[in-house]
Amino acid sequence: MVRKNMIIVFTLFLLTGCFPSKKILEDVQLVSAVGYDYKSNSQVELNGMVAIPQRGEDVPPISEVFTATTNTSKMARALEQAESPKPFEIGRLDIALYNHRLAENGIYDLVDTLQRDPSLGRDLYMAIVKGSTKTLLKQQYPLSETPSKYLLQLLDQNMNANIPKSNIHDFLYRYYGKGMDPNLPLIEKQGDRIRVIGTALLKDDKMVGQLKLEDSFLLKLLMEPFEKGIYEVKFKNNQFFTIQNLSSKVEYQFKNVKRSPSVDISVKVKGRVSEAPKIPVSNPALIEQLESATEKAMNKRTNKIVKKLQKAKVDTIGLGDLARSRTRGFDFKRWDEQYPDIPINVKVKVEITQAGITE
Amino acid sequence: MSQISENKQISPYMAFYMVTTMQIGVGILGFERYIAKTAGHDAWISVIIGGLLFNVLIWMIYRILSRENADIIGVHRNLFGRWIGGTLSFLLLIYFSSTILTVLRTYIEVIQIWIFPELGTPIITFILLGLAYSYVIGGIRVVAGLSVLGFFMSLPLFLLKYYALKNAHYTNFLPILDHSFSDLMAATKGVTLDYLGFELILLYLPFLKHPEKSQKWAHLGNLFTMFTYLITVFVSFVYFNQEQLQHTIWATLTLWKIVDLPFAQRFEYAGIALWLFVILPNICIGFWSVSRGIHRLYKIKQKSALRTMMFIIFICSILVVDRQQVDILNTKVSQIGFYILYAYIPFLFVIQLILGKGNGKGKGRKTSNG
Amino acid sequence: MIFFKKKKKNQQQEAKSNSTKGTLTFPELMKKLTASADFSTVKQTSLSTFYISYYKTLVNPEFLHRDLLPYITEMPLKNLDDIQKHLPLDGMVKSNDVHDIANKVTEGFILIQMNKGDPEGLLVPSLSTENRQISIPETEFSVVGPKEAFVESLDTNLNLIRKRLPIPEFTVKEVRVGKLSKTRVAIIYIDGIADAENVNTAIQRVNDIEYDHVVDSSYINQMISDNENSPFPQLIDTERPDRVASVLSEGKVAIMADGSPHALTGPTTIVEFFSAFEDYFLNWTLASVFRLIRLMAVMFSVLSTPLYVAVLTFHYEMIPENLLATLVASRNDIPFPPILEAIVLELSIELLREAGARLPSKVGQTIGIVGGIVIGTAAVQAGLTSNVLLIIVALAALASFTTPVYQMSNTIRLLRFPFLIFAQFLGVLGVAICFAFIVSHLLKLTSLGRPYIAPLYPLRVNDLKDALIRMPFSVQNSRPSSVRPQDKAKMNKKRAKEKHDIED
């Protein structure tokens, strides 16, 4: 019995070398944001932002950016190791940024390395940056401790309100999926602020166009039910009012998909007037006017957006997939050919329910 | 089944736990991809068809065994005599052992891919086999207890599906029945692999008290497996679209990634660790049954049979080096399983009917004593 | 009275079986006895002559002079039979068996002989029992409910239980164990409720004890447990007579040793170790919640530090976003890896506990405060441990003390260490593997031959009413089936369930 136990213990000792290596929290460098910049057609500059904790409890961490240039991102990380005192770990990556020039050439290869890594989560945010990601990550922002934290909160907040939701999972969902195309938030560094300037439209993994922030709101209306978005409407001679939507609903109707398809999209928006300088909003008659003014403005604008999408041959709304789900034996090839010329009508219906707490 | 003393037997309802826990194994972590390959978003229908077919097979197995009132080794001996029957039993035991190896090796593969890339196969095989040994040595009662525990430990994992449903695209299921019947049948073949495992009942049935009462529990167990698979397929299909699913090797594991609890995020690490309690009953029931089978066939002590088996499986597990080999192992073993279940079991059923040997209950009992 | 007679009979039987081997003549015996300074032989010559021999230290002198001597000196007595007739005492034995005499005298009997060399003598029981007062329970204290605890005298203890179960079926079997100590061990059960097999197992195991001295019931606990090597206690050790009475009425068996203020009860299940007896004094909703909290506490106590080590060593991805900064900041200056940090802290908590337990209660408190506050704060400030871990370890220690049975709370604190080692090598997977090993051990464990984790496996739905939660008394209509009681019903189900209309 004792001898048998000895053998077991001995075997275990022999095998201890095969135990996994340790990644103790304070001994690794946690990369919390990466940015990819365009260098040349075959080369990418990779910037990894690391938050380095400081001694003491209440001292905020300092952010550092490590940079390397290669053709694949994995090798870039190996390069970065040379400068860093601790090994890099990307398991806590929150944000991946892509320079817009790079995005025009396609970003799938870069995203693919990220999605293959089992240590990465699925709620990683992605965004396209107008300008260099390096300068964006290197800046210290007074609004938040580190750029990555700032970006995370910024994107989180905006995706709840004005721009379509998109993280790495959504991107891949729309990238792989037939009859839909991905979109990503478009951001820009403005001084010591970062601004969401709109939505980047992608065909497969290449950026082909963009929408302004106001238009992103309308695109979001066409894509998903949501609340809390804000939209500004012009009302008679230079008077403006903003409307905040409390809920929205979108319905699609497909006609004759197999031969000559046409699509009706009807959007219902419930909202309240959040800001209306110089407009007496408590008047019921006026509310109706406001409603029709909003409807008119939105209708005009959304139809324009849809036309734009069709022209660029991007199906950001995912109409192809919706058509598939309503048609037996759906033919994607045919649909893709027809897509730019399909008549798509958007009808927005607006209902204004409240106008604040005072009269 | 007079040869087994009553206090070594377990209650008939244990068939429920033992059947489900044997069926649900590593496969469920990534089977969506395989069945969706042919039947696309209609693959859930194949899951149901597969489940129902397996209920028929369970019924057949119960008929075969209850006619002879013995386990499969006794049946083989009665029908084909000592030598041919013994050979058939031996081949069957080899198949069972290879399923154990498959489950073990695939789980290790999952660990190596998802948690510890540097973890050596020998050490983890050694630990898992040691764990299995400590259970099997306690007899069927302990092994069955483990399967009950595994069942209840895996139940809360269902709740995690909620996180995927928050981001669901329900239109992915439409239109229903957009695939041809042959597509569905091809997917059903794929599903078969995930229902495999319950056939070990061929060996442990005599250890259930009142085997005839346990039949309904076995059916229920199979239905529960079907239900589990249905939910899994449903959630994966609404979270991923078909094209994305083809790029996702471990769909369920990927789903765990999005779980974000206030005290822990990235649930897949905890999930894979908890999955140990789903894998372990698989391995333990397997080891118990096969070592019991060897004991019945060759009159070797069950303990030494178990040790030898573990040693062989340890060596085999080390010999399987990379992912491709694990894949090959999986496909080969499940192909054999497919033929055993859909060809050999019905064949045995018919042979038994024709030879009509099953009538003599006394005879069956006598020969099964060996 | 029935009880006493039964006991006496047993005593006689046992005395015979326990007599030391080899032949011993009477003079030899007397020589042996008188070698001890506290043995005295007095020659009484009043109306008739006889010799009284006894241990001064065992015999109650008051009894000797007030209750014994006056009766035998008053009148002329010819022989031992006469004396026996005249003495108004109970439990006298006339014996000529040297071994019997030797056993009795060493137990506190007074030996009366007519002649000094006579091999025959009358043995009069006169044990002076130096008893501790019945005090309040210390390890199983409860705010409400009875405040009696067992003392070191078996007879007093039996009295405490018997007055709670005044029925003739209450049976005590007595066995003597220990070559030197000859400890009286009582096996207590209710006839007709307790399963005969359980009773026999208990008696058999106690009889099989081979040891020179049995000082306390915890000796017996270890000697008769099904698996000696298991860190899990397999019998409940309680100091509450009310708990024993209630456990007996469930059909279980209790074992008590003379000289030990504890009773052992079995067959037990693991859930029993986490139920305080106070649970039955509280409303069932409260009791159930407290039981669940206790269960959580156990899980927390065992798993928190191992998970801390696992996550910090291998799975930094699992740390919630909001905690990450705190953890990194608190770990940043620590010179030790998480495992060392955890082990050092766990051990220092154990040190504190040991020191507190070995010292008088007042000093013990001080040690607790010094250790907890001063050392803890200093360690964090010196940068030796992270304050997050300090909180976790302290909470885990606290949680382990919520377990009502002392032995179990020790086990729980010990269990952490294998978990820690597994966590260090294999992270969360290691924790799962260690858990699986413990489960395999628990599944194989039995208590007096009955499965240890009974209501959970084998699954007894009926017993779950009083396991992880405690259902109201109206639902507790049957005794736990895991102990196989002969009489299953606790009460008349129908009468208990009778429903009353609104205004009835």
Side-chain angles (χ1 to χ4, degrees):
Chain A
M1 196 61 202
V2 175
R3 228 181 76 202
K4 209 172 75 191
N5 286 342
M6 289 290 283
I7 291 173
I8 291 173
V9 170
F10 185 68
T11 332
L12 272 176
F13 262 109
L14 275 184
L15 295 172
T16 38
C18 314
F19 276 118
S21 61
K22 296 175 178 52
K23 300 182 282 188
I24 299 175
L25 179 63
E26 69 270 17
D27 293 346
V28 292
Q29 204 82 269
L30 299 181
V31 182
S32 43
V34 285
Y36 298 93
D37 277 333
Y38 180 80
K39 200 88 190 179
S40 73
N41 272 336
S42 63
Q43 282 200 315
V44 170
E45 188 181 62
L46 185 137
N47 306 291
M49 196 224 91
V50 171
I52 297 165
Q54 298 300 299
R55 267 162 206 278
E57 299 279 300
D58 301 323
V59 191
I62 291 176
S63 73
E64 271 306 322
V65 176
F66 293 86
T67 306
T69 311
T70 48
N71 28 23
T72 70
S73 60
K74 278 264 179 209
M75 276 184 56
R77 215 173 296 139
L79 264 176
E80 284 176 338
Q81 308 268 23
E83 286 174 23
S84 165
K86 296 173 183 173
F88 284 101
E89 282 292 336
I90 59 161
R92 299 297 304 209
L93 195 62
D94 290 323
I95 289 169
L97 300 175
Y98 301 88
N99 169 256
H100 79 281
R101 249 241 37 226
L102 192 70
E104 277 159 15
N105 286 330
I107 53 172
Y108 176 69
D109 290 340
L110 301 171
V111 182
D112 192 45
T113 36
L114 292 182
Q115 75 145 334
R116 270 172 202 289
D117 196 324
S119 71
L120 270 176
R122 292 295 278 195
D123 48 3
L124 175 75
Y125 278 133
M126 294 164 66
I128 289 179
V129 178
K130 271 237 149 116
S132 152
T133 61
K134 188 175 177 180
T135 47
L136 189 140
L137 288 174
K138 272 209 159 156
Q139 176 79 38
Q140 294 292 330
Y141 299 95
L143 288 178
S144 196
E145 284 172 7
T146 59
S148 68
K149 223 172 192 175
Y150 183 20
L151 281 166
L152 197 65
Q153 287 163 347
L154 179 80
L155 291 175
D156 213 26
Q157 192 259 110
N158 271 287
M159 281 184 194
N160 271 332
N162 278 342
I163 53 172
K165 282 203 163 87
S166 180
N167 56 24
I168 193 171
H169 170 74
D170 295 311
F171 174 82
L172 290 168
Y173 184 88
R174 293 176 161 272
Y175 172 78
Y176 287 128
K178 281 186 204 157
M180 50 186 138
D181 287 305
N183 62 74
L184 288 173
L186 194 63
I187 57 174
E188 193 179 32
K189 176 174 169 284
Q190 297 182 347
D192 59 358
R193 297 275 198 279
I194 303 172
R195 237 186 124 76
V196 176
I197 54 171
T199 306
L201 306 172
L202 288 88
K203 176 79 192 163
D204 293 333
D205 63 334
K206 293 182 182 65
M207 180 173 159
V208 290
Q210 66 181 77
L211 291 177
K212 286 187 292 181
L213 191 60
E214 302 92 273
D215 292 347
S216 303
F217 170 79
L218 296 174
L219 180 69
K220 197 174 163 79
L221 275 186
L222 295 177
M223 290 173 73
E224 56 199 32
F226 74 111
E227 61 228 37
K228 281 194 227 157
I230 286 174
Y231 190 71
E232 194 183 50
V233 188
K234 192 178 170 191
F235 182 61
K236 289 176 199 164
N237 41 12
N238 276 344
Q239 279 182 323
F240 286 92
F241 67 93
T242 52
I243 172 167
Q244 183 187 17
N245 79 319
L246 299 168
S247 73
S248 83
K249 220 168 102 185
V250 55
E251 268 168 28
Y252 312 88
Q253 240 174 358
F254 291 84
K255 277 182 211 141
N256 206 359
V257 176
K258 291 227 163 150
R259 263 176 241 119
S260 58
S262 69
V263 188
D264 286 329
I265 306 177
S266 58
V267 182
K268 270 192 194 133
V269 183
K270 240 184 207 173
R272 69 185 177 103
V273 179
S274 63
E275 248 175 90
K278 294 180 231 160
I279 305 173
V281 285
S282 51
N283 183 353
L286 197 72
I287 291 278
E288 242 166 67
Q289 283 180 32
L290 289 179
E291 276 177 0
S292 65
T294 318
E295 270 172 26
K296 216 171 133 195
M298 283 188 172
N299 267 331
K300 202 172 143 199
R301 200 66 213 153
T302 41
N303 278 309
K304 241 186 197 156
I305 292 169
V306 170
K307 286 273 137 38
K308 188 176 174 179
L309 293 179
Q310 279 181 300
K311 212 173 149 197
K313 289 187 187 173
V314 284
D315 190 357
T316 313
I317 306 171
L319 290 174
D321 184 57
L322 287 163
R324 176 205 57 80
S325 76
R326 281 147 214 244
T327 324
R328 270 170 213 286
F330 182 73
D331 185 0
F332 273 113
K333 223 169 158 194
R334 216 183 129 84
W335 172 270
D336 284 346
E337 278 165 18
Q338 286 175 330
Y339 176 71
D341 309 314
I342 294 172
I344 302 173
N345 299 307
V346 187
K347 235 183 140 59
V348 186
K349 218 173 141 28
V350 180
E351 193 184 322
I352 293 174
T353 53
Q354 334 158 295
I357 52 166
T358 55
E359 285 208 355
Chain B
M1 328 261 149
S2 52
Q3 73 267 33
I4 292 139
S5 66
E6 209 202 324
N7 60 8
K8 291 226 176 87
Q9 289 184 320
I10 47 176
S11 310
Y13 71 83
M14 293 304 300
F16 172 80
Y17 298 105
M18 290 175 85
V19 166
T20 13
T21 46
M22 276 310 293
Q23 287 180 324
I24 300 176
V26 213
I28 190 175
L29 297 178
F31 77 113
E32 297 93 330
R33 184 162 83 119
Y34 296 98
I35 60 170
K37 220 170 232 167
T38 44
H41 63 260
D42 283 324
W44 58 274
I45 299 170
S46 307
V47 171
I48 297 181
I49 298 176
L52 296 179
L53 273 178
F54 268 66
N55 262 336
V56 176
L57 285 170
I58 290 179
W59 176 80
M60 269 190 199
I61 287 180
Y62 266 88
R63 300 267 51 186
I64 292 171
L65 294 183
S66 68
R67 277 210 206 108
E68 302 279 346
N69 210 3
D71 59 8
I72 188 72
I73 290 165
V75 171
H76 275 153
R77 196 170 296 168
N78 278 358
L79 287 180
F80 306 110
R82 194 177 173 81
W83 290 110
I84 302 175
T87 315
L88 285 173
S89 301
F90 180 70
L91 291 176
L92 201 63
L93 289 182
I94 293 221
Y95 159 69
F96 285 144
S97 315
S98 56
T99 56
I100 301 174
L101 177 67
T102 315
V103 172
L104 182 73
R105 196 59 192 82
T106 315
Y107 181 56
I108 292 174
E109 184 72 17
V110 171
I111 295 173
Q112 284 170 337
I113 289 176
W114 284 79
I115 316 185
F116 298 128
E118 316 95 329
L119 181 62
T121 313
I123 182 82
I124 187 70
T125 314
F126 186 82
I127 292 174
L128 291 179
L129 285 181
L131 204 48
Y133 184 78
S134 81
Y135 278 96
V136 179
I137 213 82
I140 183 94
R141 210 186 63 82
V142 171
V143 171
L146 175 65
S147 73
V148 175
L149 183 96
F151 177 82
F152 282 109
M153 296 233 354
S154 57
L155 273 189
L157 293 178
F158 273 123
L159 297 178
L160 300 176
K161 304 278 181 203
Y162 161 76
Y163 289 90
L165 290 180
K166 279 204 296 195
N167 208 349
H169 308 264
Y170 292 103
T171 49
N172 286 358
F173 266 105
L174 299 171
I176 291 169
L177 271 178
D178 199 20
H179 291 78
S180 67
F181 184 70
S182 59
D183 281 346
L184 288 181
M185 285 329 278
T188 308
K189 192 187 165 191
V191 163
T192 308
L193 321 176
D194 301 293
Y195 282 106
L196 283 180
F198 82 91
E199 66 273 14
L200 278 170
I201 207 165
L202 286 168
L203 286 165
Y204 65 72
L205 186 68
F207 277 82
L208 296 171
K209 263 181 232 166
H210 320 294
E212 63 287 350
K213 271 192 201 160
S214 73
Q215 188 175 355
K216 84 170 177 222
W217 292 108
H219 284 299
L220 275 178
N222 186 51
L223 287 178
F224 181 81
T225 310
M226 188 178 97
F227 171 73
T228 310
Y229 285 160
L230 264 182
I231 289 186
T232 312
V233 167
F234 174 76
V235 174
S236 297
F237 279 14
V238 295
Y239 186 71
F240 300 108
N241 57 38
Q242 291 303 320
E243 294 80 15
Q244 195 183 9
L245 203 57
Q246 291 311 318
H247 287 88
T248 313
I249 303 171
W250 309 99
T252 296
L253 282 179
T254 311
L255 283 181
W256 282 346
K257 268 182 180 293
I258 55 172
V259 174
D260 191 4
L261 300 167
F263 50 90
Q265 53 183 48
R266 307 293 301 285
F267 191 79
E268 76 267 24
Y269 293 93
I272 292 171
L274 272 181
W275 210 249
L276 176 71
F277 290 93
V278 179
I279 299 307
L280 215 48
N282 267 284
I283 298 173
C284 292
I285 298 177
F287 270 123
W288 184 88
S289 306
V290 177
S291 59
R292 175 83 198 159
I294 296 174
H295 165 73
R296 297 255 290 118
L297 257 184
Y298 301 111
K299 308 210 169 61
I300 302 169
K301 267 175 75 185
Q302 194 175 353
K303 236 185 209 176
S304 21
L306 175 67
R307 284 194 195 131
T308 321
M309 245 182 89
M310 285 199 159
F311 183 72
I312 294 170
I313 287 202
F314 179 68
I315 300 293
C316 292
S317 163
I318 297 174
L319 291 179
V320 180
V321 186
D322 55 12
R323 200 179 147 65
Q324 277 70 36
Q325 289 177 341
V326 175
D327 262 356
I328 291 168
L329 186 72
N330 260 306
T331 31
K332 290 284 170 233
V333 168
S334 44
Q335 263 171 15
I336 299 168
F338 180 80
Y339 291 117
I340 285 183
L341 279 172
Y342 284 127
Y344 184 63
I345 297 286
F347 164 77
L348 209 61
F349 184 75
V350 173
I351 286 276
Q352 208 187 22
L353 268 184
I354 293 168
L355 292 179
K357 267 196 173 181
N359 308 334
K361 258 198 170 178
K363 197 186 171 203
R365 188 175 297 167
K366 209 171 79 199
T367 38
S368 66
N369 270 334
Chain C
M1 223 46 212
I2 301 168
F3 159 57
F4 196 70
K5 268 186 189 149
K6 214 172 219 166
K7 201 175 97 182
K8 205 177 74 188
K9 216 169 104 196
N10 279 327
Q11 270 178 6
Q12 282 172 348
Q13 273 176 0
E14 286 314 313
K16 243 178 240 161
S17 65
N18 264 309
S19 55
T20 34
K21 278 172 236 136
T23 45
L24 190 73
T25 57
F26 192 75
E28 273 171 18
L29 171 70
M30 288 315 269
K31 207 176 146 193
K32 254 193 201 172
L33 293 175
T34 41
S36 181
D38 58 347
F39 187 80
S40 76
T41 307
V42 184
K43 186 182 176 188
Q44 273 292 332
T45 43
S46 46
L47 294 169
S48 48
T49 319
F50 40 84
Y51 293 86
I52 300 175
S53 321
Y54 58 95
Y55 275 106
K56 280 186 280 191
T57 44
L58 279 177
V59 167
N60 188 352
E62 209 175 298
F63 168 83
L64 180 68
H65 294 111
R66 195 187 59 205
D67 300 333
L68 184 74
L69 288 179
Y71 290 95
I72 47 178
T73 47
E74 263 169 14
M75 50 192 76
L77 296 163
K78 292 270 164 348
N79 51 22
L80 292 175
D81 288 329
D82 270 359
I83 303 175
Q84 197 170 4
K85 249 177 255 163
H86 276 94
L87 277 178
L89 293 170
D90 197 23
M92 286 179 293
V93 190
K94 210 176 78 182
S95 171
N96 54 4
D97 179 2
V98 185
H99 298 296
D100 192 19
I101 293 172
N103 283 336
K104 288 268 153 70
V105 169
T106 48
E107 264 165 42
F109 279 63
I110 299 169
L111 175 69
I112 305 172
Q113 287 163 292
M114 298 313 287
N115 301 302
K116 199 166 184 177
D118 262 3
E120 196 184 35
L122 182 70
L123 292 157
V124 183
S126 153
L127 185 65
S128 85
T129 40
E130 285 306 320
N131 261 358
R132 185 160 62 92
Q133 281 292 306
I134 294 173
S135 57
I136 53 171
E138 295 211 337
T139 49
E140 289 171 85
F141 182 77
S142 72
V143 181
V144 284
K147 304 265 186 307
E148 286 175 333
F150 287 130
V151 291
E152 282 78 2
S153 151
L154 180 60
D155 296 316
T156 317
N157 291 347
L158 287 176
N159 165 277
L160 287 175
I161 306 170
R162 181 167 282 279
K163 73 184 180 191
R164 289 186 164 81
L165 291 167
I167 43 163
E169 286 83 6
F170 180 97
T171 318
V172 179
K173 293 261 189 266
E174 213 173 281
V175 178
R176 278 182 186 260
V177 294
K179 233 187 225 155
L180 296 177
S181 68
K182 305 227 162 74
T183 316
R184 289 165 61 203
V185 175
I187 292 115
I188 313 158
Y189 60 94
I190 298 179
D191 199 25
I193 293 179
D195 177 36
E197 206 184 311
N198 289 343
V199 176
N200 290 339
T201 318
I203 295 177
Q204 163 116 40
R205 293 223 179 130
V206 172
N207 264 329
D208 287 350
I209 290 177
E210 235 351 284
Y211 203 65
D212 59 347
H213 69 290
V214 174
V215 173
D216 188 60
S217 60
S218 29
Y219 276 51
I220 301 175
N221 192 355
Q222 295 163 52
M223 287 165 182
I224 70 169
S225 57
D226 300 49
N227 182 352
E228 249 190 308
N229 303 322
S230 170
F232 290 90
Q234 288 142 59
L235 293 170
I236 281 196
D237 193 322
T238 178
E239 54 168 355
R240 298 183 64 103
D242 45 347
R243 184 168 193 161
V244 175
S246 113
V247 158
L248 287 177
S249 70
E250 283 186 344
K252 290 177 183 160
V253 182
I255 299 164
M256 299 196 77
D258 195 19
S260 159
H262 285 267
L264 306 172
T265 63
T268 48
T269 61
I270 193 163
V271 289
E272 241 183 295
F273 285 95
F274 302 112
S275 67
F277 197 62
E278 204 179 18
D279 291 350
Y280 299 96
F281 302 150
L282 295 173
N283 172 285
W284 70 275
T285 46
L286 295 175
S288 301
V289 172
F290 288 147
R291 267 196 196 177
L292 289 177
I293 287 176
R294 241 176 267 139
L295 210 72
M296 299 279 168
V298 171
M299 294 307 270
F300 180 83
S301 177
V302 175
L303 295 178
S304 57
T305 21
L307 284 179
Y308 173 88
V309 171
V311 168
L312 257 68
T313 316
F314 292 106
H315 319 290
Y316 64 86
E317 297 98 331
M318 286 179 76
I319 304 167
E321 197 64 51
N322 303 330
L323 260 181
L324 186 70
T326 323
L327 266 178
V328 176
S330 82
R331 279 284 310 164
N332 213 12
D333 295 334
I334 315 295
F336 307 121
I339 178 75
L340 218 61
E341 191 194 2
I343 287 184
V344 166
L345 264 189
E346 289 285 3
L347 283 180
S348 53
I349 290 259
E350 289 303 293
L351 272 184
L352 280 175
R353 191 192 56 80
E354 274 295 313
R358 301 286 159 260
L359 287 167
S361 63
K362 281 191 183 121
V363 189
Q365 272 178 14
T366 325
I367 291 286
I369 293 165
V370 169
I373 297 173
V374 180
I375 300 182
T377 323
V380 169
Q381 278 177 354
L384 293 177
T385 58
S386 67
N387 39 18
V388 177
L389 184 65
L390 191 73
I391 296 168
I392 292 178
V393 169
L395 275 180
L398 200 64
S400 78
F401 289 116
T402 58
T403 312
V405 180
Y406 179 70
Q407 272 89 340
M408 199 44 137
S409 75
N410 284 340
T411 308
I412 284 164
R413 277 202 308 283
L414 185 87
L415 274 187
R416 250 178 249 166
F417 293 97
F419 271 104
L420 274 175
I421 290 164
F422 271 97
Q424 164 70 5
F425 286 111
L426 288 169
V428 280
L429 182 70
V431 174
I433 288 174
C434 188
F435 189 67
F437 268 116
I438 283 167
V439 166
S440 99
H441 174 70
L442 284 176
L443 275 170
K444 283 184 273 187
L445 210 56
T446 51
S447 163
L448 290 182
R450 302 278 175 228
Y452 190 58
I453 52 171
L456 310 176
Y457 179 78
L459 194 65
R460 306 240 185 267
V461 180
N462 209 33
D463 292 7
L464 284 176
K465 290 183 303 202
D466 189 12
L468 306 177
I469 52 169
R470 185 185 79 80
M471 297 301 277
F473 285 118
S474 58
V475 185
Q476 312 266 10
N477 45 33
S478 62
R479 307 202 159 91
S481 54
S482 59
V483 295
R484 311 234 170 138
Q486 285 184 17
D487 180 9
K488 282 209 170 116
K490 256 186 189 171
M491 60 189 180
N492 189 326
K493 220 174 179 173
K494 229 190 241 161
R495 227 180 304 149
K497 280 220 168 139
E498 238 168 60
K499 292 259 163 34
H500 296 287
D501 199 14
I502 300 171
E503 298 296 336
D504 276 358

